[in-house]
């Protein structure tokens, strides 16, 4: 009854420990109701263990007969009034089961992680109550220069978790003195205060919901952590700017809330920006767009264009949503539109100094 009550009323709860030591695991909640949290109740392997030896005895006892082919989950409860039930005692237990005959058989994890693993092994969602998005990542614009001087290319990055070391982050980008601007939207999985973390070497700043929550543009300036209240399922504008001056380069964006551990902000919760197509720049002298195989493949020809300039071709639907984007230095390009239904499209051409958009009917 208690387990079912928690399943009915605690949509984000990962699991329950139970005092019936060594008993079988129960999964509470109506499997036919998608709004009910299917909730595992895992009996403890030891109730109020009194010291290190008691923990060892119970771990050994409930490890007997393990076949090595499927996981076995053990949860130990320690009596905190005993002098050996402390961080040192727990560390001693972990060290014992990390070497010799035990090596590779045991993994020690946090309580939230073990219940996520139990849920995964039981075919249950590992983030109950979370609103999962279908995002594709953020739009990244890559520049030479530490203050966004010369845009070289842009692309969709599924998440911000990069370790470039001393290399270049993209073709045409210098290995030092470059900057990147990621834009789009972020959708939280839970309602509550979210803490965002930036890990970057030379400089970074982050806006969420148009508020600057992290400003660490200089090496010794301000913390690289910011908190903001968000509502589950809603999309918020997000902009992240990063610069690398010299040496190694890396950038990572993480988040955490009361309902989820610190993690890289996942692709599913990031949505790239919808660009409008035209830049505030003079029009290109001449752009020709014509079919080369029915109307599924089109050729885009750019006349009187400097062959040294990067050329970005973007395809938008009639509502202005970007569908396809390519960047190169060629003045004639073919675009395959076969993945898209028949209709009206906008094909936009950008260089460093010029821009032009052409309507195309497929």
């Amino acid at each position: 009854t208690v387990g079912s009550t928690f399943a009915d009323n605690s949509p984000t709860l990962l699991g329950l420990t139970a005092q019936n030591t060594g008993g079988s695991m129960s999964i509470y909640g109506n499997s036919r109701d998608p709004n009910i949290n299917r909730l595992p109740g895992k009996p403890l392997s030891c109730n109020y263990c009194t010291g290190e030896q008691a923990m060892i005895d119970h771990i050994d006892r409930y490890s007997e007969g393990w076949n090595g082919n499927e996981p076995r989950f053990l949860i130990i409860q320690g009596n905190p009034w005993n002098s050996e039930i402390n961080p040192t005692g727990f560390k001693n237990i972990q060290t014992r089961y990390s070497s010799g005959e035990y090596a590779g058989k045991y993994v020690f994890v946090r309580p939230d992680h073990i219940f996520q693993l139990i849920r995964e092994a039981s075919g249950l969602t590992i983030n109950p109550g979370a609103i999962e998005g279908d995002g594709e990542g953020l739009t990244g614009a890559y520049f030479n220069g530490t203050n966004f001087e010369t845009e070289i290319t842009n692309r969709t990055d599924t998440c911000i978790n990069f370790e470039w070391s001393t290399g270049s982050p993209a073709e045409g980008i210098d290995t030092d003195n470059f900057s990147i601007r990621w834009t789009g939207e972020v959708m939280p999985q839970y309602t509550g205060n979210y803490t965002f973390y930036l890990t970057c070497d030379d400089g970074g700043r982050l806006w969420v919901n148009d508020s600057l929550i992290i400003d660490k543009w200089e090496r010794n300036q301000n913390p690289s952590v910011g908190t903001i209240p968000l509502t589950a399922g809603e999309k918020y504008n997000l902009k992240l700017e990063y610069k690398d001056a010299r040496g190694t380069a890396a950038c990572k964006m993480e988040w955490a809330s009361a309902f989820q551990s610190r993690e890289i902000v996942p692709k599913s919760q990031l949505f790239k920006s919808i660009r409008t197509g035209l830049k505030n720049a003079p029009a290109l002298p001449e752009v020709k767009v014509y079919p080369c195989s029915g109307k599924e493949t089109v050729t885009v020809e750019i006349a009187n264009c400097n062959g040294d300039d990067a050329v970005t071709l973007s395809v938008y639907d009639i509502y202005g949503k970007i569908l396809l984007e390519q960047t190169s230095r060629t003045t004639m390009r073919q675009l395959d539109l076969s993945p898209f239904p028949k209709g009206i499209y906008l094909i936009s051409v950008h260089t460093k100094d010029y821009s032009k958009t052409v309507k195309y009917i497929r």
Side-chain angles (χ1 to χ4, degrees):
T1 301
V2 172
S4 296
T5 300
F6 274 102
D8 292 347
N9 295 283
S10 302
T12 60
L13 190 61
L14 294 175
L16 299 167
T17 58
Q19 297 296 107
N20 54 321
T21 306
S24 59
M25 186 176 71
S26 300
I27 297 181
Y28 301 101
N30 187 344
S31 61
R32 295 185 295 274
D33 188 341
N35 297 315
I36 295 297
N37 183 6
R38 298 278 286 147
L39 189 64
K42 172 65 179 171
L44 296 164
S45 299
C46 177
N47 282 354
Y48 293 105
C49 276
T50 56
E52 291 183 23
Q53 189 58 51
M55 290 192 282
I56 291 169
D57 291 343
H58 283 83
I59 290 174
D60 288 346
R61 175 183 174 186
Y62 290 103
S63 299
E64 291 177 357
W66 179 59
N67 59 20
N69 297 321
E70 57 188 15
R72 178 174 295 187
F73 301 104
L74 308 179
I75 302 179
I76 297 295
Q77 182 188 62
N79 183 345
W81 294 276
N82 184 283
S83 61
E84 293 182 356
I85 304 300
N86 55 37
T88 300
F90 293 143
K91 182 64 177 177
N92 291 339
I93 298 298
Q94 182 178 7
T95 301
R96 171 189 171 86
Y97 289 99
S98 300
S99 59
E101 62 180 299
Y102 304 110
K105 295 181 180 180
Y106 293 85
V107 179
F108 289 79
V109 298
R110 298 196 322 230
D112 55 339
H113 287 172
I114 198 167
F115 273 111
Q116 287 183 314
L117 292 167
I118 289 171
R119 297 182 70 92
E120 182 180 14
S122 303
L124 307 175
T125 176
I126 64 170
N127 290 311
I131 297 179
E132 298 289 342
D134 59 355
E136 61 283 292
L138 297 173
T139 299
Y142 288 72
F143 300 79
N144 278 329
T146 57
N147 198 32
F148 315 102
E149 286 87 347
T150 305
E151 182 173 356
I152 301 300
T153 188
N154 59 73
R155 68 189 189 195
T156 300
D157 290 322
T158 56
C159 63
I160 310 305
N161 185 21
F162 295 103
E163 180 68 54
W164 298 294
S165 186
T166 57
S168 168
E171 183 179 356
I173 300 294
D174 298 333
T175 56
D176 287 317
N177 296 310
F178 65 84
S179 48
I180 307 169
R181 179 182 290 121
W182 288 282
T183 55
E185 296 174 311
V186 61
M187 187 178 81
Q189 296 175 305
Y190 304 96
T191 296
N193 288 330
Y194 269 79
T195 300
F196 286 80
Y197 305 85
L198 278 188
T199 303
C200 49
D201 45 5
D202 287 336
R205 49 196 175 200
L206 175 67
W207 290 259
V208 178
N209 197 23
D210 301 318
S211 296
L212 179 62
I213 66 170
I214 297 177
D215 186 5
K216 196 175 179 62
W217 198 238
E218 304 301 332
R219 279 181 175 267
N220 299 317
Q221 175 188 11
N222 302 329
S224 54
V225 177
T227 301
I228 187 171
L230 302 175
T231 300
E234 292 191 11
K235 293 180 180 178
Y236 297 87
N237 289 335
L238 183 147
K239 179 171 70 172
L240 168 58
E241 294 184 338
Y242 167 80
K243 70 176 179 180
D244 173 72
R246 62 188 182 277
T248 60
C251 187
K252 179 166 64 174
M253 180 176 68
E254 302 170 281
W255 66 357
S257 79
F259 298 104
Q260 67 184 63
S261 307
R262 179 173 171 175
E263 64 175 7
I264 298 294
V265 182
K267 168 187 173 183
S268 62
Q269 308 308 121
L270 297 173
F271 301 81
K272 62 186 180 182
S273 59
I274 298 176
R275 299 172 64 181
T276 59
L278 281 173
K279 291 185 177 180
N280 186 21
L284 281 162
E286 186 175 5
V287 175
K288 295 181 180 179
V289 179
Y290 50 88
C292 60
S293 177
K295 287 193 174 182
E296 293 188 347
T297 303
V298 299
T299 297
V300 180
E301 185 177 345
I302 309 163
N304 302 320
C305 177
N306 185 347
D308 294 331
D309 288 342
V311 178
T312 299
L313 293 182
S314 307
V315 178
Y316 304 82
D317 64 16
I318 195 63
Y319 303 104
K321 181 178 180 180
I322 191 167
L323 304 174
L324 178 67
E325 195 161 66
Q326 299 177 357
T327 300
S328 73
R329 298 183 183 276
T330 60
T331 57
M332 182 176 291
R333 196 93 54 79
Q334 289 187 348
L335 297 174
D336 182 10
L337 302 184
S338 60
F340 312 119
K342 293 181 179 180
I344 300 174
Y345 294 91
L346 303 176
I347 299 177
S348 187
V349 183
H350 309 306
T351 68
K352 182 178 67 174
D353 300 315
Y354 297 98
S355 175
K356 188 165 187 178
T357 299
V358 177
K359 182 170 70 174
Y360 185 79
I361 301 176
R362 178 176 175 269

